[in-house]
Amino acid sequence: MTDTTGVTEAAETPRRSPLHDEHVALGAALTPFAGWQMPLRYTGDLAEHQAVRTAAGLFDLSHMGEIEIEGPQAAAALDYALVGNLTALAVGRARYTMICEESGGVIDDLVVYRLADERYMIVANASNVGVVVPALRERFVGFDVTLTDASLTTALIAVQGPAAEAIVVSVAEPRDVGAVKDLKYYASTNATVSEVPALVARTGYTGEDGFELFVPAELAPALWRDLLAAGAPSGLVPAGLSARDSLRLEAGMPLYGNELDRTTTPYDAGLGRVVRLDKTGPDGAPVAFVGRAALEARHQSEPARVLVGLQGLGRRAARHGYPVLGGTAHDAPHVGHVTSGAPSPTLGYPVAMAYVTPEVSAVGTELAVDVRGRQEPVRVVALPFYRRADKN
């Protein structure tokens, strides 16, 4: 394995996004997040959330990590390092997967893009880049691959919402318009947008249609301004981390540190489908990968806890860490804890995700959440809370 850069050391002070000056000019409230100073909101959480659901939002995601893997054994190396089957991933497609410990605990959840036969890009959570890169380096020893941590030279801008396609197409070079419009979900293409070379991917974290644009960091401000101008007539607004969190919660998407961590396996989080125990090598034999033995055992065992959705039946919203109780009686037993919770701007009632014991995990079960000493009634519901309408 060849390592071409090493830029994942923790910063002593929060790093600034290549778009920092744009956020300041727009009056954003900035907040430290995962070692970066990022926009929390621009005007208001509710307005930004609703803009994404009804028109479009523009997000700066430049704090996310981009890790490039290239070489004749890139596919085999990733199959060993991650729980997914990356050999089977077609060029131009992307896949949600995870990197796990030998114990099966989740180190990070990732999106992997296959850019060419022997070239991939991994997108890691900002808070975990510093552990994912060393883990990959260790796992790639003996494989003929090159790892490049491009996190600090790459900017990531997301356009999310029903108007996203029209906005991105409006700034694409005419020769690239067809390729951008024809992109399938979890697919990517190279295109020029506002004269900036970009990897354009139809991915996102909001539950809406949308695009993520990976561009050279130094070219990101011009693209950001062009997208804002092009999208304004369609209702596009800049959106911060607060809206991104409420959007992903409505869409039932896990957040590392809340629903996922090293004490949690993919099966615990209801994401066992990403673990490909059936992946095989050229000889047809099962592919060894880090965590396989533990995950096989977990797959065959009964769960100790289940991740569920909770619909609040009162007005107060549950928050991360609040206890889940077996009912509203004063002596109701403790049956779990909330991992994420907030009022749902789209649905008009509180929603939460929580780990609970299996016997109370059935849809329709009436439970309660201890909200600062008050037992708020909740009902177990299926995830996601919100699913966008099929445009077809």
Side-chain angles (χ1 to χ4, degrees), residues 309-323:
L310 299 177
Q311 175 185 345
L313 304 179
R315 298 181 60 184
R316 297 188 180 189
R319 301 291 184 179
H320 174 78
Y322 285 8

PDB file of all heavy atoms in Angstrom, residues 309-323:
ATOM      1  N   GLY A 309     -38.567   3.914  15.448  1.00  0.00           N
ATOM      2  CA  GLY A 309     -39.054   5.282  15.351  1.00  0.00           C
ATOM      3  C   GLY A 309     -40.126   5.517  16.403  1.00  0.00           C
ATOM      4  O   GLY A 309     -40.907   4.619  16.700  1.00  0.00           O
ATOM      5  N   LEU A 310     -40.146   6.715  16.966  1.00  0.00           N
ATOM      6  CA  LEU A 310     -41.153   7.089  17.959  1.00  0.00           C
ATOM      7  C   LEU A 310     -41.882   8.339  17.499  1.00  0.00           C
ATOM      8  O   LEU A 310     -41.248   9.349  17.175  1.00  0.00           O
ATOM      9  CB  LEU A 310     -40.494   7.354  19.322  1.00  0.00           C
ATOM     10  CG  LEU A 310     -39.729   6.203  19.981  1.00  0.00           C
ATOM     11  CD1 LEU A 310     -39.083   6.684  21.284  1.00  0.00           C
ATOM     12  CD2 LEU A 310     -40.644   5.019  20.254  1.00  0.00           C
ATOM     13  N   GLN A 311     -43.202   8.241  17.476  1.00  0.00           N
ATOM     14  CA  GLN A 311     -44.017   9.419  17.193  1.00  0.00           C
ATOM     15  C   GLN A 311     -44.485  10.000  18.518  1.00  0.00           C
ATOM     16  O   GLN A 311     -45.118   9.312  19.320  1.00  0.00           O
ATOM     17  CB  GLN A 311     -45.223   9.048  16.345  1.00  0.00           C
ATOM     18  CG  GLN A 311     -46.186  10.223  16.125  1.00  0.00           C
ATOM     19  CD  GLN A 311     -47.439   9.823  15.376  1.00  0.00           C
ATOM     20  OE1 GLN A 311     -47.499   8.753  14.771  1.00  0.00           O
ATOM     21  NE2 GLN A 311     -48.439  10.688  15.419  1.00  0.00           N
ATOM     22  N   GLY A 312     -44.169  11.258  18.750  1.00  0.00           N
ATOM     23  CA  GLY A 312     -44.617  11.900  19.975  1.00  0.00           C
ATOM     24  C   GLY A 312     -46.118  12.150  19.929  1.00  0.00           C
ATOM     25  O   GLY A 312     -46.638  12.660  18.934  1.00  0.00           O
ATOM     26  N   LEU A 313     -46.795  11.822  21.018  1.00  0.00           N
ATOM     27  CA  LEU A 313     -48.239  12.039  21.097  1.00  0.00           C
ATOM     28  C   LEU A 313     -48.571  13.289  21.896  1.00  0.00           C
ATOM     29  O   LEU A 313     -49.738  13.680  21.990  1.00  0.00           O
ATOM     30  CB  LEU A 313     -48.911  10.811  21.729  1.00  0.00           C
ATOM     31  CG  LEU A 313     -48.624   9.483  21.007  1.00  0.00           C
ATOM     32  CD1 LEU A 313     -49.310   8.323  21.721  1.00  0.00           C
ATOM     33  CD2 LEU A 313     -49.050   9.544  19.547  1.00  0.00           C
ATOM     34  N   GLY A 314     -47.538  13.897  22.493  1.00  0.00           N
ATOM     35  CA  GLY A 314     -47.700  15.162  23.185  1.00  0.00           C
ATOM     36  C   GLY A 314     -46.984  16.255  22.410  1.00  0.00           C
ATOM     37  O   GLY A 314     -46.710  16.128  21.212  1.00  0.00           O
ATOM     38  N   ARG A 315     -46.645  17.352  23.104  1.00  0.00           N
ATOM     39  CA  ARG A 315     -46.031  18.486  22.416  1.00  0.00           C
ATOM     40  C   ARG A 315     -44.527  18.552  22.612  1.00  0.00           C
ATOM     41  O   ARG A 315     -43.828  19.157  21.820  1.00  0.00           O
ATOM     42  CB  ARG A 315     -46.681  19.785  22.914  1.00  0.00           C
ATOM     43  CG  ARG A 315     -48.175  19.877  22.617  1.00  0.00           C
ATOM     44  CD  ARG A 315     -48.762  21.183  23.103  1.00  0.00           C
ATOM     45  NE  ARG A 315     -48.115  22.330  22.467  1.00  0.00           N
ATOM     46  CZ  ARG A 315     -48.403  23.593  22.779  1.00  0.00           C
ATOM     47  NH1 ARG A 315     -49.291  23.856  23.718  1.00  0.00           N
ATOM     48  NH2 ARG A 315     -47.786  24.588  22.164  1.00  0.00           N
ATOM     49  N   ARG A 316     -44.039  17.946  23.708  1.00  0.00           N
ATOM     50  CA  ARG A 316     -42.618  18.076  24.014  1.00  0.00           C
ATOM     51  C   ARG A 316     -41.805  17.034  23.245  1.00  0.00           C
ATOM     52  O   ARG A 316     -42.178  15.866  23.194  1.00  0.00           O
ATOM     53  CB  ARG A 316     -42.388  17.917  25.516  1.00  0.00           C
ATOM     54  CG  ARG A 316     -43.063  18.997  26.344  1.00  0.00           C
ATOM     55  CD  ARG A 316     -42.647  18.905  27.789  1.00  0.00           C
ATOM     56  NE  ARG A 316     -43.290  19.952  28.585  1.00  0.00           N
ATOM     57  CZ  ARG A 316     -42.977  20.221  29.842  1.00  0.00           C
ATOM     58  NH1 ARG A 316     -42.055  19.501  30.463  1.00  0.00           N
ATOM     59  NH2 ARG A 316     -43.585  21.191  30.484  1.00  0.00           N
ATOM     60  N   ALA A 317     -40.693  17.485  22.694  1.00  0.00           N
ATOM     61  CA  ALA A 317     -39.854  16.590  21.886  1.00  0.00           C
ATOM     62  C   ALA A 317     -38.826  15.890  22.752  1.00  0.00           C
ATOM     63  O   ALA A 317     -38.235  16.495  23.658  1.00  0.00           O
ATOM     64  CB  ALA A 317     -39.152  17.388  20.792  1.00  0.00           C
ATOM     65  N   ALA A 318     -38.608  14.616  22.466  1.00  0.00           N
ATOM     66  CA  ALA A 318     -37.522  13.868  23.100  1.00  0.00           C
ATOM     67  C   ALA A 318     -36.196  14.295  22.472  1.00  0.00           C
ATOM     68  O   ALA A 318     -36.160  14.729  21.323  1.00  0.00           O
ATOM     69  CB  ALA A 318     -37.736  12.379  22.909  1.00  0.00           C
ATOM     70  N   ARG A 319     -35.138  14.163  23.228  1.00  0.00           N
ATOM     71  CA  ARG A 319     -33.807  14.522  22.740  1.00  0.00           C
ATOM     72  C   ARG A 319     -32.836  13.375  23.005  1.00  0.00           C
ATOM     73  O   ARG A 319     -33.110  12.460  23.777  1.00  0.00           O
ATOM     74  CB  ARG A 319     -33.309  15.802  23.429  1.00  0.00           C
ATOM     75  CG  ARG A 319     -34.205  17.020  23.230  1.00  0.00           C
ATOM     76  CD  ARG A 319     -34.187  17.521  21.807  1.00  0.00           C
ATOM     77  NE  ARG A 319     -34.983  18.751  21.670  1.00  0.00           N
ATOM     78  CZ  ARG A 319     -35.132  19.418  20.525  1.00  0.00           C
ATOM     79  NH1 ARG A 319     -34.545  18.967  19.436  1.00  0.00           N
ATOM     80  NH2 ARG A 319     -35.871  20.517  20.462  1.00  0.00           N
ATOM     81  N   HIS A 320     -31.684  13.474  22.370  1.00  0.00           N
ATOM     82  CA  HIS A 320     -30.635  12.455  22.496  1.00  0.00           C
ATOM     83  C   HIS A 320     -30.346  12.152  23.970  1.00  0.00           C
ATOM     84  O   HIS A 320     -30.123  13.065  24.762  1.00  0.00           O
ATOM     85  CB  HIS A 320     -29.365  12.958  21.808  1.00  0.00           C
ATOM     86  CG  HIS A 320     -28.185  12.060  22.005  1.00  0.00           C
ATOM     87  ND1 HIS A 320     -28.003  10.892  21.295  1.00  0.00           N
ATOM     88  CD2 HIS A 320     -27.126  12.151  22.834  1.00  0.00           C
ATOM     89  CE1 HIS A 320     -26.884  10.319  21.666  1.00  0.00           C
ATOM     90  NE2 HIS A 320     -26.320  11.061  22.605  1.00  0.00           N
ATOM     91  N   GLY A 321     -30.390  10.870  24.317  1.00  0.00           N
ATOM     92  CA  GLY A 321     -30.044  10.432  25.663  1.00  0.00           C
ATOM     93  C   GLY A 321     -31.214  10.317  26.616  1.00  0.00           C
ATOM     94  O   GLY A 321     -31.054   9.748  27.712  1.00  0.00           O
ATOM     95  N   TYR A 322     -32.398  10.819  26.248  1.00  0.00           N
ATOM     96  CA  TYR A 322     -33.527  10.749  27.166  1.00  0.00           C
ATOM     97  C   TYR A 322     -33.964   9.279  27.342  1.00  0.00           C
ATOM     98  O   TYR A 322     -33.993   8.507  26.379  1.00  0.00           O
ATOM     99  CB  TYR A 322     -34.720  11.561  26.638  1.00  0.00           C
ATOM    100  CG  TYR A 322     -34.578  13.064  26.775  1.00  0.00           C
ATOM    101  CD1 TYR A 322     -33.385  13.652  27.184  1.00  0.00           C
ATOM    102  CD2 TYR A 322     -35.648  13.897  26.489  1.00  0.00           C
ATOM    103  CE1 TYR A 322     -33.269  15.029  27.303  1.00  0.00           C
ATOM    104  CE2 TYR A 322     -35.541  15.285  26.613  1.00  0.00           C
ATOM    105  CZ  TYR A 322     -34.346  15.844  27.015  1.00  0.00           C
ATOM    106  OH  TYR A 322     -34.235  17.197  27.135  1.00  0.00           O
ATOM    107  N   PRO A 323     -34.368   8.879  28.577  1.00  0.00           N
ATOM    108  CA  PRO A 323     -34.814   7.494  28.810  1.00  0.00           C
ATOM    109  C   PRO A 323     -36.162   7.209  28.137  1.00  0.00           C
ATOM    110  O   PRO A 323     -37.044   8.067  28.102  1.00  0.00           O
ATOM    111  CB  PRO A 323     -34.948   7.425  30.338  1.00  0.00           C
ATOM    112  CG  PRO A 323     -34.157   8.580  30.874  1.00  0.00           C
ATOM    113  CD  PRO A 323     -34.270   9.663  29.827  1.00  0.00           C
TER     114      PRO A 323
END
